[in-house]
Amino acid sequence: MKTIDALLSEGVAGKRVFVRADLNVPLDGTAITDDGRIRAVLPTVKALADAGARVVVASHLGRPKGAPDPAFSLAPAAMRLGELLGADVAFATDTVGDSATATVAGLADGQVAVLENLRFNAGETAKDDAERGAFADRLAALADLYVGDGFGAVHRKHASVYDLPARLPHAAGFLIATEVGVLKKLTDDVKRPYVVALGGAKVSDKLAVIDELLGKADRILIGGGMAYTFLKAKGYEIGTSLLQEDQLPAVTEYLERAEKNGVELVLPVDTLVAEGFPDLKTKAPAHPATVAADAIPADRQGLDIGPETRTLYASKLADAATVFWNGPMGVFEHPDYAEGTKAVAQALLDSPGYTVVGGGDSAAAVRILGFDEKAFGHISTGGGASLEYLEGKTLPGLAALED
């Protein structure tokens, strides 16, 4: 895979460089609540601009339905990118139309432009190869070179991720090169003990990676909403907690296989429960109770791991040489249910090993809960992409960057 270092050494001055970034940031109206993904692509954009390239940044944001939707405009991200660069950033109000053509044509060497949301065009996410390819052709007309640096999208077979690199000389940006290097440490050259902490709402989102890790990890810690399906598989009463009943056979098989393979699959021993889901807007006190994991009342819902589980999980992470964490341990957005996620994050910081936070809600939690991002070994920008890589899947966006 050619990297941006090689591209820069060949010279990019005066050339239009299309940078497929991941500016899919959370918004509260037009206010960005977490700019981590913008900051992650900053080194690539700045290096190209400093080398005299005419940089054309493109990304998706949210899931518009193939047509313009003001709620998903990239204008706030373009403004924030300019603030971080300390330079004006032009913004095209379309992706391949008159505004994009004029905006790119107006760039001078070293200047940066951001195109409007790629997913405002149906061709970006089309299942039909010809439709996707036609959109990629129009994007290719805007550039001379392609740099892939949107790691959060490399597991998608989309026009700007998969088809466009085939139409232009291409290279991987700094972010993707870093992300791939980190993931290789979790797959090809793992230092042990290797401990994985998995949370989040749905066990179905993690089935494939658990299946793969049962042959690679030494310990797997389970939390979040997905933990209750595991507890149910052990025959426990879980009240009104989140349950994916259709996944019970798979979870039961994983529990059996973990024991057979000598993998320590650790489940919560206690949990915080309440009558219902908390109000995340007002953050009104929820007054949860702590109960044993095998004694959840029939009319209560589990919403976070309990204090004994926090201590247990910290002990299981204490001697880890390699740690991968993906998914919060509870409803961390509410202060009454944030302690489990805080405890796991702190245990990663206290661990002597190489620690990787696997993007998505885990990365957001690190920032929202006030942890120093630099204290972790690596915080990924792509939760879904990280998981699919660890599952052993071929990621279309990485395959497209291979020479």
Side-chain angles (χ1 to χ4, degrees):
M1 184 183 292
K2 185 176 183 178
T3 67
I4 190 173
D5 286 320
L7 198 67
L8 291 168
S9 69
E10 295 167 1
V12 294
K15 294 183 178 179
R16 300 169 301 163
V17 183
F18 188 104
V19 177
R20 196 348 175 150
D22 180 7
L23 308 181
N24 186 26
V25 292
L27 296 173
D28 182 2
T30 59
I32 296 170
T33 58
D34 181 359
D35 67 355
R37 284 176 169 166
I38 301 175
R39 287 185 284 111
V41 78
L42 201 63
T44 290
V45 173
K46 191 173 188 310
L48 289 167
D50 288 349
R54 303 176 182 194
V55 187
V56 182
V57 180
S59 175
H60 69 287
L61 190 151
R63 296 187 177 183
K65 299 179 179 179
D69 183 337
F72 298 106
S73 175
L74 276 171
M79 183 177 296
R80 181 58 179 151
L81 179 62
E83 291 170 353
L84 292 169
L85 286 170
D88 290 336
V89 168
F91 181 65
T93 56
D94 57 29
T95 305
V96 290
D98 293 341
S99 179
T101 300
T103 300
V104 174
L107 289 175
D109 292 1
Q111 290 187 330
V112 178
V114 173
L115 305 181
E116 186 52 284
N117 194 333
L118 289 162
R119 291 185 183 174
F120 286 179
N121 302 267
E124 168 68 0
T125 59
K127 302 290 186 183
D128 181 73
D129 290 350
E131 184 180 357
R132 219 175 46 247
F135 181 53
D137 287 338
R138 297 183 70 187
L139 291 173
L142 298 172
D144 305 303
L145 303 168
Y146 176 94
V147 171
D149 215 28
F151 180 73
V154 293
H155 57 314
R156 306 296 187 191
K157 194 176 183 180
H158 291 170
S160 65
V161 175
Y162 178 76
D163 302 272
L164 185 54
R167 289 157 167 79
L168 294 169
H170 51 264
F174 292 127
L175 175 60
I176 279 187
T178 298
E179 294 273 15
V180 172
V182 167
L183 289 168
K184 286 184 181 299
K185 290 183 179 180
L186 300 179
T187 52
D188 299 342
D189 185 25
V190 183
K191 292 182 171 57
R192 297 186 180 279
Y194 177 22
V195 184
V196 177
L198 296 176
K202 295 182 178 180
V203 68
S204 57
D205 294 340
K206 305 290 195 304
L207 280 180
V209 75
I210 294 172
D211 186 67
E212 187 71 17
L213 289 169
L214 284 172
K216 295 182 177 178
D218 298 298
R219 293 180 205 130
I220 302 175
L221 317 180
I222 303 292
M226 62 184 284
Y228 301 101
T229 299
F230 278 85
L231 295 173
K232 184 69 173 180
K234 290 179 70 68
Y236 296 168
E237 168 63 59
I238 63 167
T240 60
S241 306
L242 184 63
L243 170 66
Q244 287 190 282
E245 196 163 2
D246 61 324
Q247 304 299 331
L248 285 171
V251 167
T252 300
E253 192 271 329
Y254 288 168
L255 288 167
E256 293 170 353
R257 182 142 53 98
E259 186 173 359
K260 180 180 177 182
N261 291 355
V263 176
E264 200 178 350
L265 204 159
V266 189
L267 301 179
V269 294
D270 62 347
T271 185
L272 298 187
V273 299
E275 290 185 2
F277 202 80
D279 189 328
L280 299 184
K281 288 187 177 180
T282 66
K283 304 292 197 300
H287 307 296
T290 301
V291 300
D294 61 355
I296 298 174
D299 62 346
R300 294 292 188 271
Q301 179 178 7
L303 295 161
D304 192 17
I305 57 173
E308 288 186 28
T309 305
R310 293 173 219 153
T311 301
L312 173 65
Y313 284 11
S315 72
K316 298 296 183 181
L317 290 161
D319 67 343
T322 305
V323 181
F324 175 71
W325 170 36
N326 180 279
M329 296 291 108
V331 187
F332 73 92
E333 299 92 340
H334 192 286
D336 287 349
Y337 303 105
E339 293 305 316
T341 301
K342 281 183 184 178
V344 168
Q346 186 61 52
L348 260 70
L349 293 183
D350 295 340
S351 169
Y354 183 65
T355 56
V356 178
V357 180
D361 285 341
S362 310
V366 164
R367 299 182 185 107
I368 290 170
L369 298 176
F371 288 94
D372 180 4
E373 296 176 56
K374 295 178 182 177
F376 297 87
H378 179 70
I379 297 180
S380 178
T381 57
S386 295
L387 288 175
E388 291 198 15
Y389 189 101
L390 293 179
E391 290 166 20
K393 290 184 177 179
T394 297
L395 306 188
L398 297 184
L401 294 175
E402 297 291 347
D403 295 331

